[in-house]
PDB file of all heavy atoms in Angstrom:
ATOM      1  N   TRP S 281     140.143  87.625  97.000  1.00 47.00           N
ATOM      2  CA  TRP S 281     139.937  86.207  96.638  1.00 47.00           C
ATOM      3  C   TRP S 281     140.300  85.971  95.204  1.00 47.00           C
ATOM      4  O   TRP S 281     140.145  86.824  94.363  1.00 47.00           O
ATOM      5  CB  TRP S 281     138.455  85.824  96.745  1.00 47.00           C
ATOM      6  CG  TRP S 281     138.007  85.808  98.128  1.00 47.00           C
ATOM      7  CD1 TRP S 281     138.304  84.875  99.105  1.00 47.00           C
ATOM      8  CD2 TRP S 281     137.125  86.717  98.775  1.00 47.00           C
ATOM      9  NE1 TRP S 281     137.696  85.206 100.223  1.00 47.00           N
ATOM     10  CE2 TRP S 281     136.916  86.344 100.122  1.00 47.00           C
ATOM     11  CE3 TRP S 281     136.424  87.872  98.322  1.00 47.00           C
ATOM     12  CZ2 TRP S 281     136.158  86.970 101.000  1.00 47.00           C
ATOM     13  CZ3 TRP S 281     135.641  88.579  99.249  1.00 47.00           C
ATOM     14  CH2 TRP S 281     135.541  88.137 100.507  1.00 47.00           C
ATOM     15  N   ASP S 292     122.621  74.259  93.910  1.00 97.00           N
ATOM     16  CA  ASP S 292     121.428  74.667  93.209  1.00 97.00           C
ATOM     17  C   ASP S 292     120.533  75.519  94.115  1.00 97.00           C
ATOM     18  O   ASP S 292     120.385  75.276  95.325  1.00 97.00           O
ATOM     19  CB  ASP S 292     120.665  73.403  92.799  1.00 97.00           C
ATOM     20  CG  ASP S 292     121.340  72.631  91.763  1.00 97.00           C
ATOM     21  OD1 ASP S 292     121.973  73.260  90.902  1.00 97.00           O
ATOM     22  OD2 ASP S 292     121.256  71.358  91.732  1.00 97.00           O
ATOM     23  N   ASN S 296     117.918  74.902 100.681  1.00 97.00           N
ATOM     24  CA  ASN S 296     117.064  74.363 101.737  1.00 97.00           C
ATOM     25  C   ASN S 296     117.869  74.231 102.933  1.00 97.00           C
ATOM     26  O   ASN S 296     119.165  74.393 102.877  1.00 97.00           O
ATOM     27  CB  ASN S 296     116.471  73.057 101.308  1.00 97.00           C
ATOM     28  CG  ASN S 296     117.449  71.971 100.952  1.00 97.00           C
ATOM     29  OD1 ASN S 296     118.416  71.695 101.797  1.00 97.00           O
ATOM     30  ND2 ASN S 296     117.303  71.310  99.863  1.00 97.00           N
ATOM     31  N   VAL S 305     131.810  78.356 106.550  1.00 96.00           N
ATOM     32  CA  VAL S 305     132.379  79.632 106.314  1.00 96.00           C
ATOM     33  C   VAL S 305     133.664  79.498 105.483  1.00 96.00           C
ATOM     34  O   VAL S 305     134.417  78.513 105.706  1.00 96.00           O
ATOM     35  CB  VAL S 305     132.573  80.410 107.659  1.00 96.00           C
ATOM     36  CG1 VAL S 305     133.754  79.879 108.431  1.00 96.00           C
ATOM     37  CG2 VAL S 305     132.833  81.814 107.345  1.00 96.00           C
ATOM     38  N   THR S 317     116.384  89.925  93.701  1.00 98.00           N
ATOM     39  CA  THR S 317     117.175  91.002  94.014  1.00 98.00           C
ATOM     40  C   THR S 317     116.336  91.952  94.945  1.00 98.00           C
ATOM     41  O   THR S 317     115.190  91.957  94.909  1.00 98.00           O
ATOM     42  CB  THR S 317     117.596  91.866  92.874  1.00 98.00           C
ATOM     43  OG1 THR S 317     116.465  92.560  92.255  1.00 98.00           O
ATOM     44  CG2 THR S 317     118.312  91.026  91.748  1.00 98.00           C
ATOM     45  N   LEU S 330     105.531  93.206 106.391  1.00 98.00           N
ATOM     46  CA  LEU S 330     105.556  92.133 107.424  1.00 98.00           C
ATOM     47  C   LEU S 330     105.076  92.609 108.695  1.00 98.00           C
ATOM     48  O   LEU S 330     104.180  92.044 109.462  1.00 98.00           O
ATOM     49  CB  LEU S 330     106.939  91.505 107.562  1.00 98.00           C
ATOM     50  CG  LEU S 330     107.409  90.595 106.500  1.00 98.00           C
ATOM     51  CD1 LEU S 330     108.879  90.333 106.478  1.00 98.00           C
ATOM     52  CD2 LEU S 330     106.597  89.324 106.415  1.00 98.00           C
ATOM     53  N   ILE S 338     106.031  88.760  97.016  1.00 97.00           N
ATOM     54  CA  ILE S 338     106.742  87.560  96.721  1.00 97.00           C
ATOM     55  C   ILE S 338     106.649  86.658  97.985  1.00 97.00           C
ATOM     56  O   ILE S 338     106.403  87.145  99.107  1.00 97.00           O
ATOM     57  CB  ILE S 338     108.247  87.845  96.353  1.00 97.00           C
ATOM     58  CG1 ILE S 338     109.002  88.517  97.512  1.00 97.00           C
ATOM     59  CG2 ILE S 338     108.375  88.481  95.068  1.00 97.00           C
ATOM     60  CD1 ILE S 338     110.454  88.618  97.330  1.00 97.00           C
ATOM     61  N   THR S 344     116.645  83.220  98.229  1.00 98.00           N
ATOM     62  CA  THR S 344     117.934  83.953  98.385  1.00 98.00           C
ATOM     63  C   THR S 344     117.799  85.274  97.783  1.00 98.00           C
ATOM     64  O   THR S 344     117.234  85.424  96.680  1.00 98.00           O
ATOM     65  CB  THR S 344     119.071  83.109  97.701  1.00 98.00           C
ATOM     66  OG1 THR S 344     119.234  81.876  98.389  1.00 98.00           O
ATOM     67  CG2 THR S 344     120.385  83.909  97.807  1.00 98.00           C
ATOM     68  N   TYR S 346     119.725  88.647  96.575  1.00 98.00           N
ATOM     69  CA  TYR S 346     121.012  89.234  96.102  1.00 98.00           C
ATOM     70  C   TYR S 346     120.868  90.771  96.246  1.00 98.00           C
ATOM     71  O   TYR S 346     119.909  91.369  95.642  1.00 98.00           O
ATOM     72  CB  TYR S 346     121.278  88.875  94.618  1.00 98.00           C
ATOM     73  CG  TYR S 346     122.571  89.448  94.034  1.00 98.00           C
ATOM     74  CD1 TYR S 346     123.653  89.686  94.796  1.00 98.00           C
ATOM     75  CD2 TYR S 346     122.656  89.685  92.671  1.00 98.00           C
ATOM     76  CE1 TYR S 346     124.802  90.212  94.266  1.00 98.00           C
ATOM     77  CE2 TYR S 346     123.733  90.199  92.111  1.00 98.00           C
ATOM     78  CZ  TYR S 346     124.848  90.440  92.904  1.00 98.00           C
ATOM     79  OH  TYR S 346     126.002  91.006  92.264  1.00 98.00           O
ATOM     80  N   GLY S 363     126.457  94.271  90.060  1.00 95.00           N
ATOM     81  CA  GLY S 363     127.403  94.028  91.159  1.00 95.00           C
ATOM     82  C   GLY S 363     126.727  94.133  92.564  1.00 95.00           C
ATOM     83  O   GLY S 363     125.618  94.724  92.708  1.00 95.00           O
ATOM     84  N   ILE S 376     114.055  90.409 110.325  1.00 98.00           N
ATOM     85  CA  ILE S 376     112.663  90.060 110.123  1.00 98.00           C
ATOM     86  C   ILE S 376     112.398  89.296 108.790  1.00 98.00           C
ATOM     87  O   ILE S 376     111.542  88.435 108.755  1.00 98.00           O
ATOM     88  CB  ILE S 376     111.784  91.393 110.160  1.00 98.00           C
ATOM     89  CG1 ILE S 376     110.290  91.013 110.266  1.00 98.00           C
ATOM     90  CG2 ILE S 376     111.980  92.256 108.980  1.00 98.00           C
ATOM     91  CD1 ILE S 376     109.330  92.134 110.500  1.00 98.00           C
ATOM     92  N   LYS S 388     128.094  92.301  99.661  1.00 97.00           N
ATOM     93  CA  LYS S 388     129.540  92.464  99.927  1.00 97.00           C
ATOM     94  C   LYS S 388     129.710  93.075 101.288  1.00 97.00           C
ATOM     95  O   LYS S 388     128.805  93.861 101.748  1.00 97.00           O
ATOM     96  CB  LYS S 388     130.195  93.262  98.771  1.00 97.00           C
ATOM     97  CG  LYS S 388     129.792  94.662  98.762  1.00 97.00           C
ATOM     98  CD  LYS S 388     130.546  95.452  97.755  1.00 97.00           C
ATOM     99  CE  LYS S 388     130.081  96.882  97.671  1.00 97.00           C
ATOM    100  NZ  LYS S 388     130.784  97.723  96.649  1.00 97.00           N
ATOM    101  N   GLY S 403     118.969  79.453 110.929  1.00 98.00           N
ATOM    102  CA  GLY S 403     119.606  78.451 110.119  1.00 98.00           C
ATOM    103  C   GLY S 403     119.781  78.898 108.702  1.00 98.00           C
ATOM    104  O   GLY S 403     119.567  78.202 107.745  1.00 98.00           O
ATOM    105  N   HIS S 454     125.815  78.224 111.352  1.00 97.00           N
ATOM    106  CA  HIS S 454     126.358  78.008 112.776  1.00 97.00           C
ATOM    107  C   HIS S 454     126.831  79.333 113.432  1.00 97.00           C
ATOM    108  O   HIS S 454     127.311  79.415 114.521  1.00 97.00           O
ATOM    109  CB  HIS S 454     127.401  76.953 112.884  1.00 97.00           C
ATOM    110  CG  HIS S 454     126.979  75.689 112.194  1.00 97.00           C
ATOM    111  ND1 HIS S 454     126.090  74.828 112.790  1.00 97.00           N
ATOM    112  CD2 HIS S 454     127.323  75.112 111.009  1.00 97.00           C
ATOM    113  CE1 HIS S 454     125.915  73.779 111.948  1.00 97.00           C
ATOM    114  NE2 HIS S 454     126.630  73.937 110.904  1.00 97.00           N
TER     115      HIS S 454
END
Side-chain angles (χ1 to χ4, degrees):
W281 293 287
D292 290 327
N296 61 49
V305 73
T317 70
L330 288 167
I338 59 173
T344 297
Y346 178 31
I376 193 170
K388 68 177 181 182
H454 307 285

